[in-house]
Amino acid sequence: MKPRTKVQREVMSLVPKLTPISERQKRYAGKHLFSHVAYRNGSVVYCMTCGKRLSESEIQNHKCSSCDNQIEVIDSKTRKIRDAGYYAIVSKCRNYQVVRYFYVKRLCVRKSTANYEFHEVAQEWFNEKSYCIVSRLATPLSYNTIYSLWSDMEVRKKLYVAEQITYPKMNLIPILKRNIGCFVKEAATLKTTPVSTMFYNVMNEPHAETLLKAGQFNLLDAYREDHKFINDHWGTIKICIRNGYVVEDFALWKDTIRAMEFCGQDLLNRKNVCPDNLSQAHDLWVARKEKLEDRAEYERKKEDIKKYENQYHKAKKKWLGIVIVNGDMRISVLNSVKEIFEEGQAMHHCVYAMEYYKKKNSLIMSVTNSAGRVATVEYSLKSGKVLQCRGLCNKEPEDYDKIISTIECNRQLFKSA
């Protein structure tokens, strides 16, 4: 649409002044945006990134000496790979912070060097007072968003893209340079928070700035979806910061704090909120929480499953029945509160006790194989990422990486209709 405000007109006048993407930035995307594989056909193994034939030592070390990438060797006769992803570069222009989004396409052909295409599809322009989106024409679908790569960059109302990786070298406006300090690299590698959201939080929320500068990156990453919990328990978090306790597993720590709170414990006591063994503390306080509940009330709570069934079904009906199969692994969305209760009982964790079935933007999935239940997964419908993957008694399952990659490869199934 045509620029109508003073900010929009100024932004559109500055768009042509942005520098083209550099070769170094392209090389970083090629190395980190995509996975690197080598296909074995008989006794011959070729790196699909650089086209080199690999030696036995390179195969054993899973590293190509030519392109210097960690590679996964796969038995396949496939000769081509086509994939794509989104890449963000953080720049500045005048008094605006600019996050530029590039759609990157890769074509790998056996015995040849991979070919990359970079198409800039969107930009976010913002500072303390102003915000503007500039992008190409987008067609949002239930499973993906398609940008018309040959349409013009114009002012738009919505942004339909989130980066998969961000170039770590950032050119920041003064307020962000002050608030982020020397933590630019860490800010670029948050798991689930887009870089523009992180900038907004750090620029406007003192708590977010403190978490970044205190090295509490997992809490900062969780600030997007759990800012209410973090703000409500800020006194507890300050105790952790003062004692140098870094929260490595926010979801487990949050459930432990909530269970302690239910039991009436002092959340300003260092021994309570900075446990040496978080897993043990979690199990202890969740067990005490359940014991403190009146037994009759607890039994009634099981009966009340029926009360929440309709609410759960109405909220999650778009995704009920989804099953992902990968070999003997099955990842299925839990279709009822009763199934979530049974999952918590069988896996000995708190997916039911902590009422995960009430979370609006989460899907709970069960992972099984031929031996039985393997893990329980919490998937964020908002960010499109796996928030938690817990095995028996909250331990990390053996196939953790396989579970995560399987879900990420099929995340189009979980897009809102």
Side-chain angles (χ1 to χ4, degrees):
M1 68 181 191
K2 290 185 178 181
R4 301 180 184 279
T5 67
K6 180 180 177 181
V7 170
Q8 292 173 352
R9 287 192 292 270
E10 182 181 11
V11 166
M12 288 306 297
S13 69
L14 295 174
V15 168
K17 298 183 180 180
L18 294 175
T19 57
I21 184 171
S22 68
E23 290 301 319
R24 179 177 291 183
Q25 290 166 338
K26 289 181 179 180
R27 286 196 298 270
Y28 185 89
K31 186 175 183 65
H32 298 279
L33 182 58
F34 304 103
S35 59
H36 300 279
V37 299
Y39 284 150
R40 179 193 283 125
N41 186 0
S43 60
V44 181
V45 182
Y46 284 97
C47 174
M48 296 299 289
T49 301
C50 65
K52 178 191 174 185
R53 180 172 176 172
L54 302 181
S55 65
E56 283 297 324
S57 62
E58 289 175 311
I59 296 170
Q60 291 175 0
N61 296 327
H62 296 279
K63 188 170 184 178
C64 176
S65 61
S66 177
C67 58
D68 199 33
N69 289 315
Q70 290 293 329
I71 54 174
E72 180 184 2
V73 179
I74 300 173
D75 290 314
S76 175
K77 294 182 180 179
T78 303
R79 301 184 64 85
K80 291 184 180 181
I81 301 174
R82 286 186 176 89
D83 45 14
Y86 287 102
Y87 175 48
I89 295 175
V90 178
S91 181
K92 74 174 182 179
C93 188
R94 298 273 179 87
N95 61 330
Y96 289 98
Q97 191 67 64
V98 188
V99 181
R100 306 172 67 185
Y101 298 95
F102 290 83
Y103 179 65
V104 187
K105 296 195 291 185
R106 180 179 72 163
L107 173 62
C108 302
V109 180
R110 194 176 183 186
K111 298 184 182 181
S112 301
T113 303
N115 180 57
Y116 298 90
E117 292 182 21
F118 292 80
H119 301 273
E120 189 166 12
V121 294
Q123 300 167 356
E124 286 183 279
W125 295 69
F126 58 91
N127 53 32
E128 293 175 90
K129 299 178 180 179
S130 308
Y131 180 81
C132 182
I133 294 171
V134 177
S135 77
R136 301 191 188 280
L137 184 65
T139 305
L141 304 175
S142 60
Y143 58 90
N144 202 351
T145 297
I146 299 176
Y147 278 94
S148 175
L149 300 181
W150 314 118
S151 61
D152 294 330
M153 295 286 281
E154 296 181 356
V155 174
R156 310 285 179 182
K157 293 182 179 180
K158 290 185 178 180
L159 184 74
Y160 294 100
V161 61
E163 74 280 3
Q164 291 168 258
I165 64 166
T166 303
Y167 187 60
K169 188 175 181 181
M170 302 181 182
N171 196 1
L172 302 179
I173 59 177
I175 185 172
L176 283 174
K177 189 178 292 186
R178 182 198 71 187
N179 288 10
I180 292 178
C182 61
F183 296 103
V184 172
K185 186 176 180 180
E186 290 80 2
T189 55
L190 296 179
K191 295 177 183 176
T192 62
T193 305
V195 66
S196 59
T197 303
M198 183 275 298
F199 283 155
Y200 176 84
N201 289 340
V202 172
M203 190 163 53
N204 297 284
E205 302 287 346
H207 289 175
E209 180 187 351
T210 301
L211 292 175
L212 176 65
K213 292 183 176 179
Q216 296 283 2
F217 303 119
N218 286 291
L219 290 178
L220 178 62
D221 205 14
Y223 195 85
R224 180 189 184 194
E225 296 194 19
D226 283 292
H227 61 276
K228 186 177 187 306
F229 174 86
I230 291 174
N231 291 336
D232 290 347
H233 296 82
W234 187 246
T236 300
I237 292 171
K238 287 199 293 185
I239 296 298
C240 296
I241 293 173
R242 287 173 191 166
N243 289 276
Y245 181 81
V246 178
V247 178
E248 299 290 352
D249 189 330
F250 170 74
L252 202 63
W253 182 80
K254 173 186 172 182
D255 288 341
T256 304
I257 296 300
R258 289 171 62 195
M260 285 183 186
E261 191 172 29
F262 182 89
C263 295
Q265 293 299 303
D266 182 6
L267 297 184
L268 299 180
N269 186 320
R270 180 188 62 82
K271 292 183 179 180
N272 285 341
V273 302
C274 305
D276 295 328
N277 189 319
L278 180 58
S279 181
Q280 284 184 4
H282 173 273
D283 294 344
L284 170 68
W285 288 109
V286 169
R288 288 191 183 181
K289 174 182 181 293
E290 293 179 354
K291 287 181 180 179
L292 283 176
E293 290 181 313
D294 180 78
R295 196 64 196 173
E297 181 69 17
Y298 188 66
E299 292 300 324
R300 188 190 64 78
K301 196 172 183 179
K302 292 188 213 176
E303 293 298 324
D304 278 353
I305 287 175
K306 295 178 182 179
K307 174 183 173 182
Y308 295 106
E309 287 290 9
N310 289 337
Q311 180 182 341
Y312 179 80
H313 187 272
K314 184 177 179 181
K316 313 296 183 186
K317 63 182 179 181
K318 298 174 187 175
W319 304 281
L320 300 184
I322 291 177
V323 178
I324 303 170
V325 179
N326 185 356
D328 70 336
M329 177 190 293
R330 286 172 58 89
I331 304 174
S332 53
V333 175
L334 294 176
N335 295 318
S336 66
V337 180
K338 182 181 179 183
E339 289 186 11
I340 293 176
F341 173 77
E342 292 170 350
E343 183 82 3
Q345 294 291 98
M347 298 297 287
H348 300 287
H349 54 46
C350 63
V351 68
Y352 174 79
M354 302 310 293
E355 300 179 336
Y356 276 78
Y357 54 87
K358 291 184 179 179
K359 296 186 74 172
K360 180 180 178 182
N361 292 312
S362 289
L363 275 184
I364 306 300
M365 292 180 264
S366 180
V367 185
T368 59
N369 59 20
S370 55
R373 298 180 195 262
V374 175
T376 308
V377 173
E378 181 189 3
Y379 178 86
S380 171
L381 295 168
K382 188 174 182 180
S383 62
K385 300 286 185 179
V386 172
L387 299 180
Q388 301 186 65
C389 181
R390 307 286 182 188
L392 187 66
C393 298
N394 282 301
K395 295 180 180 178
E396 183 175 299
E398 291 184 5
D399 295 329
Y400 179 87
D401 292 334
K402 182 179 178 182
I403 294 169
I404 300 297
S405 63
T406 300
I407 294 174
E408 296 253 328
C409 289
N410 290 274
R411 58 185 170 188
Q412 70 272 12
L413 295 174
F414 306 108
K415 293 283 187 179
S416 298

